[in-house]
Amino acid sequence: MKNKLDIFKKAQDLLDEPEVQELLDYCDRLEDELVDFKFEKENNKQLIMLDMLKEVIKGCNAIEKEQLEHERFGYEAPDYRSTISNLKSYILEICKDNKIYL
């Protein structure tokens, strides 16, 4: 990507023109907005990842509870294979929907 001042490298005298100054100021504002947008986008992905991790922890806690109940009361044993498969599917689906690349 070319630096906006490089465009005027061969015509430095144009930098003194009010219209060119206005254009450069406009470019600066757009660059600031782009940086802010990128931050918001990344920040949102961080929130999505945080939410996903919280859900994973909830699922892990639930399967641990099932295991304790199985050991203590003889209830049916947890289906770890199904749990792991569901967990993997959940993570991959959230990542796909939110364009998060692992």
Side-chain angles (χ1 to χ4, degrees), residues 29-98:
R29 287 193 305 276
L30 287 177
E31 286 172 355
D32 289 342
E33 287 179 22
L34 181 60
V35 168
D36 290 344
F37 175 74
K38 283 182 179 179
F39 176 76
E40 284 178 22
K41 188 175 178 182
E42 288 175 24
N43 192 31
N44 286 340
K45 286 189 179 188
Q46 288 173 353
L47 292 175
I48 291 165
M49 293 293 286
L50 181 61
D51 187 56
M52 183 172 58
L53 288 173
K54 286 178 182 178
E55 290 300 316
V56 168
I57 295 296
K58 274 195 231 176
C60 291
N61 289 340
I63 201 76
E64 285 176 338
K65 183 180 176 187
E66 282 184 43
Q67 179 63 36
L68 289 173
E69 289 173 349
H70 167 70
E71 291 170 3
R72 186 169 179 196
F73 303 112
Y75 293 159
E76 186 176 334
D79 183 359
Y80 292 106
R81 183 176 291 166
S82 175
T83 300
I84 291 169
S85 179
N86 290 339
L87 180 60
K88 183 179 176 183
S89 295
Y90 168 74
I91 291 170
L92 293 174
E93 187 68 26
I94 293 294
C95 289
K96 179 183 165 197
D97 290 348
N98 294 285

